[in-house]
Amino acid sequence: MQVKYPSDSITTLTDVVLPGETNPLNNLFGGELLARMDRAASISARRHSRRICVTASVNHVAFNKAIPLGSVVTVESKVSRAFNTSMEIYIDVWIEDRESGNKTKANEAIYTFVAVDETGNPIPVPQIEPQTELEKQRFDAALRRKQLSLVLAGKMKPHDATELKALFV
């Protein structure tokens, strides 16, 4: 399989927050934002693998800033690392100031998707080669996150988590 770049999977979804998508404080429902992030991540995973992809886990979500009614919201996602059949997708959420047009990072998330065949069985995905410094940082951190997840799930022994151990030595 040919190696791909994070830029091959970039997905940008931009939309406005409507009244039916807000909570009693007139901010975007968290679940609505999660759905938007899942859609963007799904497209990134498909662009990377060119296969059917399913959400395996939502590894991290940070709701750092409320997104008010009427805001222009941009969800940007791309593959940060590919493993055997899975891909980590890093998602940044931006809100745009209505008057200046300046964008502010509001939230972020990390999802894991798995490529599957037509019967739902996992299949291999292309590896990824990060290009920018941020892509390299996210690529390296992805292995630590995966090892931590495997250790916590009892699928990897702590002494085998070499990337995690390196943080403490």
Side-chain angles (χ1 to χ4, degrees), residues 70-138:
S71 295
V72 173
V73 181
T74 300
V75 178
E76 296 175 348
S77 67
K78 62 182 168 180
V79 175
S80 51
R81 186 152 187 167
F83 295 98
N84 184 33
T85 61
S86 67
M87 296 154 280
E88 181 187 88
I89 316 292
Y90 209 102
I91 304 157
D92 295 301
V93 179
W94 305 87
I95 54 175
E96 186 177 319
D97 182 271
R98 292 176 229 171
E99 293 180 19
S100 70
N102 293 333
K103 288 185 177 180
T104 304
K105 187 169 177 180
N107 304 296
E108 65 182 12
I110 301 170
Y111 283 43
T112 298
F113 275 74
V114 174
V116 296
D117 63 19
E118 293 74 18
T119 60
N121 294 310
I123 54 175
V125 298
Q127 292 305 298
I128 201 158
E129 185 178 311
Q131 296 176 294
T132 69
E133 277 308 308
L134 180 58
E135 289 171 356
K136 289 174 185 175
Q137 290 169 5
R138 289 178 174 180

Side-chain angles (χ1 to χ4, degrees), residues 1-12:
M1 256 183 240
Q2 185 176 354
V3 172
K4 292 192 171 183
Y5 304 103
S7 58
D8 295 332
S9 66
I10 291 175
T11 300
T12 304

Side-chain angles (χ1 to χ4, degrees), residues 18-76:
L18 301 173
E21 302 168 328
T22 61
N23 63 24
L25 296 174
N26 284 325
N27 293 318
L28 182 66
F29 276 120
E32 175 62 32
L33 181 58
L34 288 170
R36 291 179 187 199
M37 291 188 292
D38 194 47
R39 282 192 292 274
S42 173
I43 294 167
S44 289
R46 179 73 183 230
R47 284 180 172 163
H48 178 77
S49 67
R50 293 296 170 197
R51 304 301 287 212
I52 298 166
C53 296
V54 296
T55 309
S57 65
V58 176
N59 307 337
H60 167 76
V61 177
F63 295 109
N64 297 320
K65 186 172 175 132
I67 302 175
L69 173 66
S71 295
V72 173
V73 181
T74 300
V75 178
E76 296 175 348

